[in-house]
Amino acid sequence: MKKEGYSSPGLFGTMNHYDNSGHKVGESRPGFFGGMNNYDASGHKVGYSSPGLFGTMNHYDNSGHKVGESSPGFFGGINTYDNHGNKTSHSERGLFGGFNHYGK
C-alpha cells in the first residue's frame, strides 16, 4: 500500500493534513457544536464532519450533501468510503498522535 499523505495534530484540537510530499493540503478544526469543520490549504471552508453511529464519522460538503463516511476498520485503523460505499482509503495511527493515509 502506497502512503498518500498524513495528518498531524495542531493547536487547540486542530488536525493538519499533508500530501505525501509534505505540502499542507488542508486543516480540520473543532466545530462549535461538535464535529469538525474542514478547510482547504487556502483556509476556505470545504465542508464538515459529524459523528455518526457506532464510531463512524459522516462527511458533508458546504451544501450539506453527504460525500462520504469513515469508520473503524476490522483490524484497526480507519476506513474511508465515498457516498456510494466504495472504499477510498485506509488510515493508521502514526507514532506521534497523527495518522498515515494509504490508498484502498
Side-chain angles (χ1 to χ4, degrees), residues 1-103:
M1 234 184 296
K2 180 183 169 204
K3 183 176 173 183
E4 295 183 356
Y6 60 96
S7 298
S8 62
L11 297 175
F12 308 111
T14 63
M15 186 66 74
N16 298 308
H17 309 293
Y18 301 90
D19 65 14
N20 199 29
S21 300
H23 298 105
K24 188 173 180 179
V25 296
E27 181 177 302
S28 297
R29 302 176 196 155
F32 191 68
F33 297 107
M36 299 292 277
N37 291 318
N38 304 311
Y39 300 85
D40 65 15
S42 299
H44 299 105
K45 186 176 177 191
V46 295
Y48 62 95
S49 302
S50 62
L53 299 174
F54 308 111
T56 63
M57 185 69 81
N58 296 311
H59 308 292
Y60 301 90
D61 63 16
N62 270 337
S63 300
H65 298 106
K66 187 174 178 182
V67 295
E69 179 179 297
S70 299
S71 61
F74 188 70
F75 295 106
I78 299 170
N79 293 321
T80 302
Y81 302 89
D82 64 18
N83 198 34
H84 304 288
N86 301 309
K87 185 176 176 182
T88 58
S89 67
H90 179 78
S91 301
E92 293 285 340
R93 285 213 177 268
L95 293 176
F96 303 105
F99 290 91
N100 294 315
H101 308 294
Y102 302 93

